[in-house]
Amino acid sequence: MLMFSYLMATGITTGAFYALVALGIVIVYKSTEVVNLAHGDLFMVGGMLAYTCYVMGGIPYLPSLLLAVAGAFVVGILTERVAYRSVLKHGLASVLVATIGVSFVLKGIGRYIWGGKGDYLAFPPIVSPEPLQFGNIMIMSQQLVVLFAVIVVMAALALFFKRTRAGKWMQATASNPKAAMLCGLRIDRIYMYTFAVGAALAGAAGVLMAPLTHLYPDVGFVLFIKGMAAAVLGGLTSIPGAVLGGVLLGLAEQLAAGYLHSSFQDVVAFLVIMFALIFLPTGLLGARGLRKV
Amino acid sequence: MKRLSTTITASLAFAAITALDAQAQGANVPGITNSEIKVGSFGPLTGPVYIYGKLTMNGVEVYFNKLNQAGGVHGRKLVLVREDDLCKPEGAIAAVKKLVHDHKVFAIIGGGCSNPTLAARPDIEKERIPFHVFAAVADGIVDPPAANIYTTQITASIESKAQIQWAIDKGAKKLAIVAQHDAWGRARYEPMIQDFKRRGLQVVADEEVTVDQNDGTAQALKLKASGADAVMLLGYPKAAAVVIRDSIKIGYKPLWIGQTAIQDLPALQGLIGISGALADFVSITTVPGHPDNPQYAEWRKLLKDTFPNDDLSVFNLMGIAAAEVFGKVLEAAGKDLTREKFLAAYNTIDNFKSSIYPGPITCKGGHKCNESPAFVKLENNNVVFAGTVALK
C-alpha cells in the first residue's frame, strides 16, 4: 500500500511537469494549429537564461524568473518573425518544418553559450531541498511548487481565453483565419504573440522545473515528447485536457515502472501517443466538432 | 671572398638537402612535415553528448598548446584536426576516413563514444593509423588487441569488476544494479552480469534508468524492497542523481558505487541538492580530484586562455591526461618519426606517472594502458581518495 501511495503521489507530481510543458504546446496549437516542435528548446532557453541571471549573475530569484520569461517571450517573437512568418503562406507543413529548424538552432546556441560549463548544470531549488512528509509518504517540495504553478497557469490561461479580447482574438484566428482577417484582426500579429506567449510559458516551465530536471542544451527534447504525449492524450485544443493528460501520463509511467518493470517507464509516453492517435484522435477533452463544408 | 661564396653555397646546399629530406619524410609519413605533426581526433562535437568529444578535444588542444609553446615535440608543433562523429557509428566511420584520406593525419587521438569507436575500429585497423583512445570505454575497442590501438581510459569491464569488488570488500551481502540500457550502459552492464555469475553472486534488484530520467521513485522503492545494501550505479550523472535523491526521499540509504561517468562528486551533489546525499557514495575516477582543486590551477588557466567560455571539467582533464601520454609516446618515438616507430614507442610507457591519472600508465605488453581503478568519495565537500581494489 505504501508503494502504491508513493507511486500515485509521484505520478501526480511528475504529471504536473508534463502538464506544464503540454500547456505551452496547447496554447500555440489552439491558436495557430501548429505543433511547435521547438517548444522543448524554448524550455531550455528559459532555464538557461534563469541560470545565467540567478546562479551566474547573482540576481535574486524572482527578477531572474521574470527576466527569463521575458527573454523567452522575445525569443518567441524573433522565431515567429524570422522563421515562421515567411513560410506560413506555404501551409502548416512548412511551419512545422521551420519549427524543427528553430529547434536545432536553439540547441546549437545553447551548446555554444552554456555547453562548456559541464555536462549538467545544477539549478538550486527555490524552496527547501529536503522532502516534506504528507501522511506516511514524502514528497519533494520543489515538485509541489510545480504542481501549484500548473494550477495557477491553467487558471490564468482559462481566464485569458474566456475573459480577454486578446484571448478571444486568438481563438477566432484559430477557428477561421480568413473570417478573423475580414473582421479586421491582424492575424500575423496574433500569430506572433501566440508564439511569444507559448515561448514565455515554456520559459516559465524551464525556470520552475530546472531544480528537478537540471539544465543542459538537450534537456527540452524528452520533456517535449512527454508534454506532447500529454497534450495529445488530453486533446491538443484543450487546456484542462493538457493538465489531465499530463497527470494520467505521469501516473501511467509510475505504475508501469513500479508494478511491471522500470524499463517500461519511458516507453509509456510513446504508447500513449499511439493509443491516443488511434482510439482518441481528438483526445479526452479536445474539440470534437467537425467543420462541415 | 671565395671563402664566403663557398660558405654560402654549402649552406644553401645543406638547406636544400634538409628541405628535400623533410619533403621526402612528408611524402612517406602522412601528417608529418619538418615543422608540424598533424593529429586527428573524432568524437561528438555536436548533439546531446557533445561533452565526450568537444570538451575532451578541448583538453587535448590545451595540452598540445602547452607542448607547442615549449617548442613542440622534437621541434615539431602539434596541430589538432577535429571531426564530428555525432556519437553515431556511421559518423565515426566517415570521420576516420576523412581524417585518414582528406586531412592525412599522422595519428588519431579520440573516440568519444564507445559504439561509434567500435564501429570505426575495422577501418582504423585496416589503415594501420596509430589510434589513442581518450574517452570511449568499451572493451571491444582494444580487446582483442589491435597493433595500432591503445587506450589510456579504464575500460568498462575493469570498472564493472571493480565496482563489485568494492562492494564485497566493504562487506555488502545483497547487491543491486541500476543501469542505463543504452549502448554505453550495456558495455558496462553485460561485463558486470558476467562477473556476478563468475563469482556465484545473485543480483537482488536489477533496475533500469534512462539518461534523461526526471524521477527515480519507482526504482528507489524496488531497491528498498529488495533489501540491497550496495547498489552499483551504471548511469550518467542526471540518472544517478534522481535515483539517489528519490531514495533519500523514501528513507533508503545503501552504499552507492559509481563509475567514471559520475566521478565529479561536487557536481553530482549539486544535482541531488540534498545536503549529505553522498555520505555513502564512492565512485571510480579517472581524475583523482575535483577540477576546481588547486592542483589543476595551471590547466584551468590554460583552458581559459584558449576557450574563454569553458570551465575546467573532468572531460577536459580526460583529454589533457590522454594527450600527456600521447605526447610522451611521441617524444619516445624520436625525431625521425614514423608510424611504426610511434607505435613501438608505446612499449616504453611503463609505470608512467601521469600528472592526472590516479594510477600508473603502462602500455608495455598490453593495449589497455590504464588498469588501476581508484575510488573517490566526498568529505566536507572535498573530493578525497577513498581507496583501490585488487581485482581477483
Side-chain angles (χ1 to χ4, degrees), chain B residues 358-376:
Chain B
I361 299 297
T362 298
C363 305
K364 187 180 181 180
H367 292 246
K368 292 179 182 177
C369 304
N370 188 349
E371 295 192 281
S372 312
F375 285 80
V376 283

Side-chain angles (χ1 to χ4, degrees), chain A residues 111 114-116 118-119 217-218, chain B residues 44-55:
Chain A
R111 285 177 197 133
W114 297 283
D119 44 2
D218 293 77
Chain B
L45 297 173
T46 55
V49 290
Y50 70 96
I51 48 172
Y52 294 105
K54 185 182 170 186
L55 300 191

Side-chain angles (χ1 to χ4, degrees), chain A residues 226-272:
Chain A
K226 302 287 175 78
M228 188 65 197
V232 169
L233 179 63
L236 268 167
T237 53
S238 169
I239 289 168
V243 177
L244 180 65
V247 172
L248 288 177
L249 177 62
L251 287 171
E253 277 189 355
Q254 290 300 318
L255 294 173
Y259 291 114
L260 297 174
H261 188 260
S262 43
S263 52
F264 284 91
Q265 189 164 354
D266 242 31
V267 181
V268 168
F270 296 99
L271 292 176
V272 163

Side-chain angles (χ1 to χ4, degrees), chain B residues 40-82:
Chain B
S41 190
F42 70 91
L45 297 173
T46 55
V49 290
Y50 70 96
I51 48 172
Y52 294 105
K54 185 182 170 186
L55 300 191
T56 318
M57 286 182 211
N58 288 357
V60 171
E61 195 161 324
V62 162
Y63 191 81
F64 281 8
N65 286 348
K66 189 190 172 192
L67 281 179
N68 290 343
Q69 277 160 18
V73 180
H74 299 297
R76 293 189 180 100
K77 299 279 170 74
L78 296 173
V79 177
L80 189 70
V81 182
R82 303 176 186 221

Side-chain angles (χ1 to χ4, degrees), chain B residues 154-173:
Chain B
I154 303 172
T155 60
S157 68
I158 295 173
E159 287 199 39
S160 294
K161 287 173 192 165
Q163 284 176 281
I164 297 174
Q165 192 61 52
W166 183 274
I168 291 168
D169 289 354
K170 296 298 166 197
K173 299 280 184 263

Side-chain angles (χ1 to χ4, degrees), chain B residues 300-353:
Chain B
R300 269 198 302 279
K301 185 189 173 305
L302 290 173
L303 185 82
K304 275 282 171 209
D305 290 346
T306 314
F307 305 102
N309 269 348
D310 287 17
D311 296 332
L312 188 70
S313 69
V314 167
F315 305 100
N316 299 133
L317 289 169
M318 277 161 55
I320 293 168
E324 188 182 12
V325 179
F326 185 87
K328 193 81 187 159
V329 178
L330 268 179
E331 201 182 312
K335 187 168 172 57
D336 298 326
L337 190 60
T338 63
R339 283 176 171 173
E340 292 71 25
K341 284 182 184 171
F342 177 75
L343 288 170
Y346 270 97
N347 256 319
T348 66
I349 304 298
D350 187 11
N351 265 318
F352 170 61
K353 298 267 188 280

Side-chain angles (χ1 to χ4, degrees), chain A residues 6 10 111-112 115-117 119-120 122 129-130 138 143 213-214 216 218 222-223 254 257 261-263 265-266, chain B residues 47-48 50-51 206-208 210 212-215 217-219 222 237-238 249-250 270-271 273-274 309-311:
Chain A
Y6 261 116
T10 310
R111 285 177 197 133
Y112 180 76
K117 307 246 171 257
D119 44 2
Y120 300 94
E130 304 295 331
M138 308 289 281
Q143 288 178 324
T213 62
H214 309 300
Y216 47 104
D218 293 77
V222 170
L223 287 166
Q254 290 300 318
H261 188 260
S262 43
S263 52
Q265 189 164 354
D266 242 31
Chain B
Y50 70 96
I51 48 172
D206 186 353
E207 295 302 320
E208 187 173 330
T210 58
D212 280 311
Q213 190 104 13
N214 287 310
D215 189 273
T217 308
Q219 288 81 352
K222 292 171 93 174
K238 183 177 172 184
K249 181 178 81 178
I250 64 163
L271 293 178
I274 302 171
N309 269 348
D310 287 17
D311 296 332

